[in-house]
Amino acid sequence: MKKIILPVLATLIVAGCSDSDGAASTIANNDAAPNQDDSVPVSVDVSMPPNEVPKGADDLQACVAIDAVQVTDLAGTIIEWTTKSMTDPYGVNSTQCIPADSDIPVDNDGYPKFIVIDLYDVTGVDLVNLISEQLLPVGEYTGMALSILQGSYGDFLDTPYSYVGNPVDKMKMDIVDDLKFDGLDINIDVPTTFTMTFDLKSMIQLVEQAYRLKSEGFKVVDNITAGTLFGDIDVSACSTSAKDAYVYLYEADSPEYGDLGSDYPPVKTAQVADDNTYEMQYVPEGEYDVVLVCDALLDLPNEIDLDIDLDGDTSYHQGQYISAGEKTYRNL
């Protein structure tokens, strides 16, 4: 079963050459760049996602405490931005994630140790210019990451910093690792816009009564080379109804169409809306196969052999090319 990318989106405007000594190191956000003439200003913005809260769970929260954004260059140098880089680290928080009788702890300099975002309610948070006017050295970059913090506020319910649940029943989120995306292979020498996408359906898994946050659904897309796919679906393609349907996107050379937990998961998915339309933004330019999956709500990333209909009573289109900067229509 495969992996996907649904849009809870953070747009990253970056530019940046690596040190050539081969030694891994870290440059904090408040350290000056070695040579500012060889650096480019960087900003991090957020694009609002469609609503991906599971049906019937309007009060569900997926609160994630982020204490740093990291970029890695070819030499292994990690450039890190923390709350000290943010224009308003308090204003970007999802306040529903913070207990009423608690506050985010501060460091020795008085800055909050993290920001906390409800991934199911990013639309309620002003994340524009999350990090702005930072300098990134010009060069080749291979990865980006979000550092996720665990711990608890110590309030009456001992609310975890990162959790999934409703305002009363909060289950700690076990962070398997920081959210990392490796393999950027981008040579940055002018201001460039990237989009970080969070596929919640693939990232947040309930395993043995504990939620886990994994990197499978965390992707980074260069906006210059990305396009949009949208269209209508034929509801008669689904034997019952299309209310649980998603559209799955596979690379054209994929050996098979797998579900989320397989060795061949989709590279991106989009939920079919009530008006039987779908839209996928930030699709890297290339050729894809597009598949309508009628019972996709049954597809869980922690299930290995889930029997969803990917080969039988379904609709698909092979060899769809997505062009950079363009919107491509494809009905199913």
Side-chain angles (χ1 to χ4, degrees), residues 135-250:
L135 292 177
L136 189 65
V138 172
E140 295 183 59
Y141 287 84
T142 61
M144 294 184 188
L146 296 178
S147 176
I148 309 299
L149 192 66
Q150 296 199 96
S152 64
Y153 291 93
D155 62 316
F156 176 74
L157 297 175
D158 199 25
T159 303
Y161 294 153
S162 300
Y163 69 86
V164 175
N166 60 43
V168 176
D169 300 317
K170 304 170 182 179
M171 296 182 65
K172 178 182 177 182
M173 188 185 298
D174 291 328
I175 312 301
V176 176
D177 205 344
D178 291 336
L179 294 180
K180 297 179 180 178
F181 179 78
D182 297 319
L184 273 183
D185 192 22
I186 298 294
N187 186 10
I188 303 173
D189 55 8
V190 296
T192 305
T193 301
F194 293 91
T195 296
M196 294 187 291
T197 70
F198 303 84
D199 174 12
L200 300 184
K201 193 176 182 186
S202 184
M203 292 170 62
I204 300 176
Q205 304 176 12
L206 180 60
V207 180
E208 296 179 351
Q209 301 304 308
Y211 282 97
R212 293 183 180 179
L213 183 68
K214 305 181 71 175
S215 289
E216 276 78 355
F218 179 55
K219 305 291 182 182
V220 178
V221 179
D222 184 349
N223 284 14
I224 294 177
T225 63
T228 297
L229 177 67
F230 72 106
D232 299 277
I233 70 158
D234 180 2
V235 293
S236 66
C238 296
S239 56
T240 54
S241 72
K243 65 182 181 64
D244 296 336
Y246 273 71
V247 174
Y248 282 16
L249 195 69
Y250 297 89

Side-chain angles (χ1 to χ4, degrees), residues 294-313:
C294 295
D295 49 0
L297 282 187
L298 300 177
D299 190 4
L300 302 175
N302 52 303
E303 295 288 343
I304 303 302
D305 297 311
L306 189 62
D307 185 21
I308 66 169
D309 186 4
L310 285 168
D311 302 307
D313 187 17

